[in-house]
Amino acid sequence: MKGGWLINFNLNQNAKGEIYRSADAGKTWTLINFDEDETSDRNVFTIQFDPNNSDVAYLGAGKGIFKSTDAGLTWTKIKAPDNTKRHQGLYLSPDGKVIYATYIKNGRNGSIYASQTSSINWEEVIYGNGDIILGEYNFWYPEVDSRSI
């Protein structure tokens, strides 16, 4: 279905990227625009906060991954891995040093990528448990077991 669940609210899938932010435990909310592009998917899939720095947050959306260094007031887009089309979700490691993301490459299938947060340089995660090759699947939100870090 074009637009997914957004059609239930009379919203277009393609629109500016917007979120609401509260700094007072939800008593008041401020509309934050994280991306001006009105021609790409507005869906937000994930927001992850750096456990070591409360000012740093990562937002995963159909538009890509964005980083905030001022507690979500402003956002900067992070370059996607080469030869990818659409972002599907992200996970920040428990120590805040590695970001994992899923990106579509072909049709609905894609791969998992990882990068140090200190300097974004995406590497495709090819192997699963042992020598299992992950390949391209319809990955969504990546999660990492904190015991494996």
Side-chain angles (χ1 to χ4, degrees), residues 120-141:
I120 300 298
N121 183 23
W122 295 110
E123 292 186 32
E124 190 171 1
V125 178
I126 297 171
Y127 294 102
N129 187 12
D131 292 331
I132 298 172
I133 297 176
L134 294 178
E136 293 181 14
Y137 293 99
N138 189 8
F139 291 113
W140 200 245
Y141 306 107

Side-chain angles (χ1 to χ4, degrees), residues 13-99:
Q13 182 172 350
N14 294 337
K16 289 181 182 180
E18 299 175 328
I19 57 171
Y20 284 89
R21 177 185 180 273
S22 177
D24 58 8
K27 292 178 184 166
T28 60
W29 295 87
T30 304
L31 179 64
I32 303 290
N33 186 330
F34 67 87
D35 187 74
E36 290 289 332
D37 179 14
E38 294 184 12
T39 65
S40 60
D41 184 356
R42 72 189 297 168
N43 283 301
V44 174
F45 305 123
T46 317
I47 298 177
Q48 294 272 299
F49 296 89
D50 187 321
N52 300 310
N53 184 342
S54 60
D55 286 335
V56 176
Y58 295 87
L59 182 149
K63 296 175 176 297
I65 296 178
F66 297 79
K67 181 179 180 179
S68 175
T69 57
D70 57 8
L73 292 172
T74 61
W75 297 88
T76 302
K77 190 170 188 175
I78 294 175
K79 184 181 179 308
D82 292 337
N83 302 316
T84 59
K85 297 180 181 176
R86 185 173 187 269
H87 176 258
Q88 291 283 100
L90 69 87
Y91 181 84
L92 190 61
S93 65
D95 62 7
K97 293 181 180 180
V98 179
I99 186 169

